[in-house]
Each structure stands twice: as C-alpha cells, then as structure tokens.
C-alpha cells in the first residue's frame, strides 16, 4: 500500500546540505510488522516521517495506494495523515492532565465520531491494550509502559491502516518494552505497523520484516520479497472504519466540550487564570468608572449665567399654564420619588443677598425658615419677622466657633433688589451640607416667610419691565427710565410722579390725571391705574417724599405700599426642587413633567468649558490603560498557558486543524472570562445588598455607583473581545512553528 521509489530527503541547515535518506526503494503492505533499525543518524526517523507524511521529500516518488504524492501540498499530507496514519511516539505525547479514557476520546472527537460510537470503541480498545481498569485514571499517574499502551490505544482508536512508531520503547524498561512489542505485533495482523528502534532484540520475536538503515540508505531488507516495480500495488480498501465517522471533522459540540474540559482540567492553573481575569474585570471597570466619575466632576465645573445656584441636584419648575404654585402643588411635588427638598422661593435662590456690617460681609441665599432641615450649632429658630438663621460651610471663616459667637444675636442690614433695605438679627447658626450645593461656596439665610415675601417683591420689581400709560400714550419701561418705589406719604390709589409727565398733555398739566402702571416679567403682567395726585420737582421733592436726594431719585414713581403690593406682592411662579440622586434625574423629570410642570434641570444648563477637554484627554488615556491592561493580561496569561503549548501541539499531531484549535482555545478563554465576570457580578450584588463589608467594599461601592445596565453590557463585550484577542494572539504565536517544529521541540 505504500511504495517508495528512489525517494530522497535532504536537509538544508546553515548552508550545508545533509542527506536524511537517499534513493530509498521500499514497498510496504498491510499485515506487515516492519522494524527499522540502524545506527543513530542513519535516517530511520527521516524515513518514518516521510512515510507518515510528517516530512516532505525532494526526490523520487511515494505512492499511497498507487497514488503519486510528489504533487501533494501540506494540506494533502495533513489529510493523508488523518486518514491513514496512527502515530505512536517515543515520549507518548499524551495529555497528562486527561484520563486514559479522555486521551483516547480526544482523537475520536477530533475525527468527528458519534458519542455513542466513541464510548463503545474506547471500551473495546482499552480492553485490547489491557487498560480497562485504568480508564478514569489520569495519565500522569501511569507508568511508562502503561502510557505507551494509552498511546497505542489512541493510535488504534482512529482505525487507520498504518501505525507508525518512532522508538516506542525508547523510554521503557525491558519488561514494558516486551509487552509493547507484543501488542504492536498483534495489531499488525490487520494493519501495517512500522517501528523504528535501535534495539532490534526487543522486536525480534514479532517482526515480520527488518529494514536496516545505513547512511540514509537501506542497507538490509529481509522482507524485500517483491522487488520495486512501477506497477501500483493492489491493496484492499477498508471501508469499515471510515463509515463510522460522521463528518471526519470535529463537531462544534466537541470543541465546546474540549474547551470547557481544558478550562477546569488543571485546577490550580484555572484558579490562577481566573484570578488574572477577575483582576482584569475589576481593573477595566475601575478605569471605566474613574473615567465616568472624572467626566462628571468636570461637568460640575460649569457655570450658568441665569441660575447662580447651579447645584446639579436642582430642577427649576414652572407650571405649564404659567400660574402660581399653590399648597396642593408643593404637596404633590414633595411626594415625587427622589425629591429631597423643595425651595418654593425659587426666584430668590439665584439672588444672593449680603449681610453687611462693619465687621461682616457675608453672601447668602434666602430660604424660608420652614425649609431649614439642618441642625442648629448655635442659637434658636427665628420667631419674629426680622430674625434669621445663617448657614455656612464649616471651613468658612465666619463659621469658626469664635466668630460664630461674635456674630450671633446682632443686627445686620440687608438690601433688597429694588433698593429698599431692612435689618435682620441672626438668632441661629448652622453648618451647611457640603454636598448639597456642589461648588457654590455660599451659605443660606433662613428667614420668616414675611421677610421672604418682602425680598420677593423686590425681585419681582427689579425683574419686571415697567411701562406707564398717561393720556393714551405709553412709555415702555424697557429703557429703565421710570422705576416704582413705595413711599409712605403716598395714599392708596395715588401716585407721586416726576414733573416731566406734564409733557404728555398739551396744556402741560398732568396733576389729577390717571397713570396706568404695568409691571411685566416672565411670570406675570399686572397693571394698576392711579391718580397722579402729586407732581414733584426739585423744589418740593423733600417735602413730598421725605427724601433729600432729588437727583438720584428722579424718574421714580412713588406709590403706596398697597398698590406696590398689588403689583409685586406675588406668590411663586417658579419653584426649585432638589433631588436625592442625580443619576435618577431622568425618571424624576419624567414624573414631574407628567404632573404638568415644565422642568429645567440645572445640571444640563451648565455652560461647560471643560467638556471637550474631558473627552480629548480622557478617552486616549482610557484607551491606553485598557491596552496596557490587555498586554499585561496577555503576558501573564501566556505564562499560564505556556504549558498548553504541548497540549495544542498534540492536537496538531493528531491532525486537528488550526482553526479548530483556535476555537477550543477561544472557548476556554471565554469560559474563564464568563466565570470571572459572574464572580464580579456576584461581588457587585453582595456589595449592593450589604452582604459584605470591609475596606475594599467602599471602593467597589463607588465603582458600581457609576455603572448602569448598559455599562455592564459594554464591559462584558470589552472583556470577551479581550479574551478572544488574547487567545488569537496566543494561537498565532503557537502556530508560528510548524507541526513538525513544535513536535520536535516536544522531543
Ligand atoms: P536517526 O533517526 O536514524 O537517528 P535521522 O533520520 O533523525 O536519523 O537523521 C538522518 C540524518 O538527517 C542525520 O544526518 C541528521 O543529522 C539529519 N537530519 C535529521 N533531521 C534534520 C533536520 N531537521 N535538520 C538537518 N538535518 C537533519
Ligand atoms: Mg531518530
């Protein structure tokens, strides 16, 4: 069935040509037990490798069942090896971490045998080589002779017509060698068995033919009964073995089985690998969340021109119909999930006021005393109209113990937006929650609602455009020419106006005529019509108003407190709420919008100078870190997988295609990744459910704060891709060597 005609094989190394075998003529047939002997370097291995298709030849022709092979490509020889050759190696080439059964099973899986068939076959073969009782023993626990039996069992399992063995007894004691020789001779009854040995005596009783090599040539061949001829040798085609193969190729299921088997095969290696992967998962997550965290911190560094209090927790609300907020609104709002507090006097939140005195100038944002939910450090709650509580940050100068006891229970002037002023007395002091207002380093001033209402009037006045209509002519206040102020000398329904209003009348007399004052702002529009009872000039200004400074007041229309209140004493058209958890902002906004409020989350309103920079710097850094992690992981994993190289070269020797080996490695990597990821998720759940406590828990806790569902998915994909890249890179480094190269390295 095998015929060599003048076959020569040369080796080229370092510019020298060495002849492996030269002009070998040989015909081999089924049923023969051929023993090749000869001194070292005589070409025994070369001849065997050429016959078994492991090595190419340069000259002559080798026929397999009469077919020429000189035109064969590497893939053809691979196919040939797979179909015809069963290998037995001097060093066994077994997977030590596999059991005897698994080692034999491996070759059958690779060749696509059915599972039921595999079981039956292996049992048969183990019986035949006398290893039945060792089926589930790990190969590493066997003696050399037993290992060689496993190796023979594996060669038999595939049921090929040719069994080749290079020094199969080289590593065995003479007793074991005797058994192996006997076993091989039994096999040769229906196969062609070719054995290379330097110890012919061991095989002498069983060999049917002895070929003696010398200097690359056949020196003796006692079985050379048929001289070499051109006629192809007739051989019987054995179909029985073939028909049991389903595809002849490894199935997807088998790849998965092998991949998973390999994952757990060597426990300490699996644990090591798992540790690396868990480390990688946590490192990648950590980097990712740090990235998110930094981005969020950078976002906070924005500013906003309209809302000075730009706490990221703040949402500004208006009613969609533009009406005032009522008690029912506050109640409904406070019931919304994730809302921590409500600031009804929203309009004041962005208008800080200054507490002024000789020894203090403190900026604070007005709130109502009812909103105060902190703990007083000193003093008490406000009781009368002018009493206030002041809050500030602990590290603020005014909030040291010493200064606090200095400033408490003293009166300070505050100025309203419309120029009015009043005195307030600090009766209580409290620290401000640092987190609440983000970067706004300013305190709050909690006042009675009466006082807040006064302040609000000032704001509405200052924020309104005032227009006046006299004698059918309207002067729009956009130029800011006329302003409105209270004067206690003016009666309700009357106005004290500057003399230029006379110009509205042809007779130059405005006194006693009507003036319509309209205040318009983003919230409302309100008009009052008054009688211009008094016209002031520089002469009568002081007697009419009680003020000395005519110049700076000119253009002011003085009205009564009642009418002023009608124009400016308004409730809240705008309310702010603070959320507890900014990350839940979207849900909270949706809830509020459903209730009929227009929402404006201030975190989205920041004009952010740092935004672009965050991405420009952070993204490459993140990429570099992930890449660095990838390479660290790769090198560590490669170290751990190094021992796998032997395993994979065994798979190659057994005829498994490169892409299948790659898939098996992928499956192993992906399995480990999945387990590492599950461990990570388990950790996340335990931390979330407060099952575990400790030093590192805080770290994980803040880490997962910045993760949402899609982040977990992205992380998973990143890890899987990383695992596949590692396995791909590792596979490539493995396959750089040829099958024979890595095979020889195994020797
Ligand atoms: P044996 O198995 O009988 O000891 P080999 O077949 O291994 O002999 O070697 C035959 C000849 O070919 C020797 O001279 C050896 O030096 C040479 N040879 C074998 N393999 C190689 C190789 N890979 N590169 C170069 N020369 C080789
Ligand atoms: Mg040799």
């Amino acid at each position: 069935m095998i015929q060599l005609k003048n076959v020569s094989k040369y080796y080229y190394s370092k510019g020298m040509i060495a002849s492996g075998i030269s002009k070998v003529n040989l015909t081999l047939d089924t049923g023969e037990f051929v023993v090749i002997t000869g001194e070292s370097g005589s070409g025994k291995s070369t001849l065997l490798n050429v016959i078994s298709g492991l090595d190419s030849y340069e000259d002559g022709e080798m026929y397999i069942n009469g077919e020429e092979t000189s035109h064969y490509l590497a893939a053809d020889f691979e196919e040939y090896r797979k179909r015809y050759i069963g290998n037995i190696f001097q060093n066994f080439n077994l997977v030590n971490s596999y059991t005897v059964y698994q080692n034999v099973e491996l070759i059958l899986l690779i060749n696509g045998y059915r599972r039921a068939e595999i079981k039956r076959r292996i049992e048969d073969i183990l019986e035949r080589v006398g290893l039945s009782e060792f089926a589930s023993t790990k190969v590493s626990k066997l003696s050399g002779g037993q290992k060689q039996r496993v190796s023979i069992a594996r060669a038999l399992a595939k049921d090929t017509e040719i069994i080749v063995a290079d020094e199969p007894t080289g590593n065995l004691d003479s007793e074991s060698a005797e058994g192996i020789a006997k076993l091989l001779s039994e096999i040769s009854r229906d196969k062609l068995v070719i054995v290379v040995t330097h110890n012919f005596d061991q095989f002498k009783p069983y060999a049917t033919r002895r070929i003696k090599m010398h200097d690359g040539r056949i020196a003796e061949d006692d079985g050379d009964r048929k001289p070499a001829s051109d006629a192809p040798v007739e051989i019987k085609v054995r179909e029985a073995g073939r028909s049991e193969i389903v595809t002849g190729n490894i199935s997807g299921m088998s790849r998965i089985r092998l991949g998973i088997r390999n994952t757990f095969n060597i426990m300490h290696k699996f644990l090591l690998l798992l540790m690396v992967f868990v480390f990688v998962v946590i490192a990648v997550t950590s980097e990712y969340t740090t990235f998110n965290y930094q981005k969020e911190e950078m976002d906070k560094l924005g500013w906003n021109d309209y809302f000075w209090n730009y706490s990221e927790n703040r949402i500004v609300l208006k009613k969609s119909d533009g009406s005032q907020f009522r008690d029912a609104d506050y109640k409904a709002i406070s019931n919304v999930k994730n809302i921590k507090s409500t600031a009804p006097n929203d309009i004041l939140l962005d208008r800080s006021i200054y507490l002024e005195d000789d020894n203090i100038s403190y900026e604070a944002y007005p709130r109502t005393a009812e909103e105060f939910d902190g703990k007083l450090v000193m003093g008490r709650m406000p009781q009368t109209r002018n009493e206030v509580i002041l809050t500030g940050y602990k590290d603020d100068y005014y909030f040291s113990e010493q200064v606090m006891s200095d400033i408490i229970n003293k009166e300070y002037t505050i100025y309203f937006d419309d120029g009015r002023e009043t005195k307030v007395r600090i009766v209580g002091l409290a620290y401000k929650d640092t987190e609440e207002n983000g970067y706004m380093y300013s305190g709050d001033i909690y006042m009675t609602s009466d006082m807040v209402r006064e302040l609000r009037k000032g704001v509405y006045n200052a924020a309104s455009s005032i227009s006046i209509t006299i004698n059918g002519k309207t002067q729009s206040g956009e130029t800011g020419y006329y302003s409105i102020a209270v004067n206690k000398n003016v009666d309700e329904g009357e106005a004290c106006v500057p003399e230029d209003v006379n110009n509205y009348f042809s007779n130059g007399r405005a006194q006693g005529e009507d003036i319509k004052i309209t205040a318009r702002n983003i919230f409302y529009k309100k008009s009052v019509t008054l009688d211009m009872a008094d016209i002031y000039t520089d002469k009568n200004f002081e007697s009419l108003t009680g003020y000395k400074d005519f110049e700076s007041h000119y253009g002011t229309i003085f009205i009564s407190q009642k009418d002023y209140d009608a124009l400016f004493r308004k409730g809240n058209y705008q309310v702010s709420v603070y959320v507890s958890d900014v990350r839940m902002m979207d849900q909270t906004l949706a809830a509020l919008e459903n209730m009929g409020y227009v929402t404006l989350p201030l975190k989205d309103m920041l004009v952010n100078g740092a935004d672009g920079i965050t991405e420009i710097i952070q993204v490459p850094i993140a990429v570099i870190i992930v890449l660095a992690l990838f390479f660290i992981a790769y090198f560590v994993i490669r170290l751990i997988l190094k021992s796998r190289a032997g395993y994979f070269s065994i798979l190659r020797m057994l005829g498994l295609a490169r892409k299948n080996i790659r898939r098996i490695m992928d499956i192993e990597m992906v399995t480990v990744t999945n387990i590492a990821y599950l461990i990570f998720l388990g950790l996340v759940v335990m931390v979330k459910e407060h099952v575990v406590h400790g030093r590192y828990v805080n770290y994980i806790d803040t880490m997962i704060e910045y993760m949402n569902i899609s982040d977990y998915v992205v992380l998973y994909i990143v890890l899987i891709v990383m695992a596949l890249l590692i396995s791909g890179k590792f596979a490539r480094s493995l396959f750089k060597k040829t099958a024979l190269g890595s095979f020889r390295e195994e020797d």
Side-chain angles (χ1 to χ4, degrees), residues 307-326:
F307 299 96
W308 290 43
N309 176 337
Y310 48 75
S311 159
E312 59 167 357
N313 300 64
R314 178 180 171 192
I315 308 172
V316 179
L317 298 179
K318 274 168 66 172
K319 291 177 75 170
S320 42
D321 60 3
S323 64
Q324 285 186 34
F325 280 77
R326 308 276 173 207

Side-chain angles (χ1 to χ4, degrees), residues 11-13 18-21 38-47 55 166-167 196 213 744:
Y11 288 110
Y12 307 89
S13 77
S19 154
I21 50 173
E39 67 274 24
S40 189
S42 58
K44 306 185 293 293
S45 296
T46 308
L47 177 59
D55 235 346
D166 195 347
E167 307 265 8
V196 163
M213 296 290 292
R744 284 205 171 116

Side-chain angles (χ1 to χ4, degrees), residues 340-360:
K340 189 176 160 203
S341 63
T342 309
N345 297 290
D346 171 84
I347 196 88
L348 295 175
L349 284 175
D350 304 301
R351 297 182 175 261
S352 57
I353 56 173
Y354 282 87
L355 287 181
E356 303 269 26
D357 194 2
D358 294 342
N359 49 17
I360 185 173

